[in-house]
Amino acid sequence: MDDELNALRRTRMRWNTPLSEPHADLLLDRMELAGGHLADLGCGWGELLLRALGRAPDLRGTGIDTDGTGLARGRAAACERGLQERVKWVEADAATWDVPAERAFCIGAAHIFGSTKAALEALTRVVLPSGRLLYGDGFWAAPPTPAAQEIFGPDLLALPDLLDAADAAGWRVLHLSTAGQLEWDDFESTSRAGWAEWLAAHPADPRAAAVREWLDRRLREYVRGYRGVLGFTYLVLGR
Ligand SMILES: C[S@@+](CC[C@H](N)C(=O)[O-])C[C@H]1O[C@@H](n2cnc3c(N)ncnc32)[C@H](O)[C@@H]1O
């Protein structure tokens, strides 16, 4: 798809993860934010990072992502909220980030490091020993269908195995929660809504057939392939 459509695709998403507002508030509570620095690895447009900065006036943040479109959205939102002096946006491979911080987020971005296990190990290097990490990752909530395995690959774990991997990397679980069905359905629906709205307004556009095909395929993959099968957990980790 072209730049115009790519820029539109995620506009209806609050963040790029299955997470309700009350659940986000709970996670930020459990992170016990104060001063110091918060690094968000694979931040997307950094909405949760900005919410964290909004709560803790002495906190500074850095969002790291390879996607310039997401970073531009984050930068614009930071300016609108008067947070631009307290946050940096870095377009880079977050796997190379090695500045230890008081707090870190890595949500839906384990693939940056290759796998869940590799991410949990690598992230010990970006959080100070007294710090906290908010780690969000997928897991198999039910035995995967072949279609789900095809989409999400061989590295996804069941939740007990994910917790074992956190333990093996030296983390202690301070808080555990998982995305509910409504959060998943809202995430999937909002991920389609930007293009669904465009399609309704531009049915005769030459790109309409490709957009309709993508929207139909995404919905089919979700409902037939991984709804209720793919889970998503949020762990607040310390050491
Ligand atoms: C599922 S999104 C999650 C975004 C964000 N954490 C959130 O919860 O809204 C995964 C993000 O990882 C980013 N990403 C992928 N590979 C990356 C890399 N090597 N370094 C930094 N970011 C990367 C993508 O651009 C995308 O924004």
Side-chain angles (χ1 to χ4, degrees):
M1 281 315 157
D2 57 30
D3 288 350
E4 183 202 354
L5 280 173
N6 281 334
L8 258 181
R9 187 156 90 71
R10 298 194 174 91
T11 47
R12 290 292 174 194
M13 303 178 86
R14 189 189 299 117
W15 29 59
N16 196 353
T17 188
L19 182 66
S20 66
E21 296 270 1
H23 195 169
D25 282 341
L26 174 72
L27 296 174
L28 294 180
D29 284 350
R30 297 298 184 264
M31 284 294 280
E32 297 193 350
L33 304 166
H37 191 246
L38 166 61
D40 188 350
L41 288 91
C43 64
W45 51 93
E47 178 60 29
L48 199 62
L49 170 64
L50 295 177
R51 303 277 180 110
L53 295 177
R55 282 174 162 233
D58 295 327
L59 190 63
R60 293 184 165 267
T62 304
I64 307 117
D65 204 288
T66 45
D67 175 15
T69 306
L71 294 172
R73 176 171 167 183
R75 198 173 286 114
C79 287
E80 275 167 26
R81 298 175 210 183
L83 295 169
Q84 67 275 17
E85 302 300 326
R86 292 172 49 211
V87 59
K88 289 193 187 117
W89 304 96
V90 179
E91 189 169 341
D93 178 0
T96 64
W97 190 258
D98 61 358
V99 188
E102 284 78 8
R103 296 289 182 269
F105 294 164
C106 180
I107 300 174
H111 56 280
I112 292 174
F113 303 93
S115 68
T116 295
K117 286 182 183 170
L120 286 162
E121 281 164 19
L123 289 163
T124 58
R125 295 193 283 279
V126 301
V127 181
L128 290 165
S130 60
R132 288 188 178 198
L133 167 69
L134 174 57
Y135 181 75
D137 201 355
F139 67 91
W140 293 129
T145 59
Q149 218 148 19
E150 173 83 24
I151 299 169
F152 297 104
D155 291 322
L156 221 63
L157 303 173
L159 188 55
D161 299 328
L162 196 158
L163 295 180
D164 285 349
D167 186 58
W171 295 107
R172 292 195 55 73
V173 177
L174 304 175
H175 173 84
L176 176 157
S177 52
T178 60
Q181 195 59 66
L182 181 59
E183 289 173 292
W184 265 111
D185 289 344
D186 189 52
F187 169 61
E188 292 290 336
S189 298
T190 54
S191 79
R192 298 170 65 255
W195 278 7
E197 286 169 13
W198 177 89
L199 183 62
H202 303 87
D205 189 282
R207 297 163 292 179
V211 169
R212 186 177 299 107
E213 192 277 326
W214 183 90
L215 288 167
D216 292 350
R217 181 163 40 81
R218 269 295 285 253
L219 184 59
R220 220 172 26 245
E221 280 176 355
Y222 176 49
V223 174
R224 289 191 189 279
Y226 61 91
R227 186 175 187 271
V229 171
L230 183 67
F232 200 90
T233 189
Y234 297 95
L235 304 176
V236 175
L237 300 172
R239 274 180 278 174

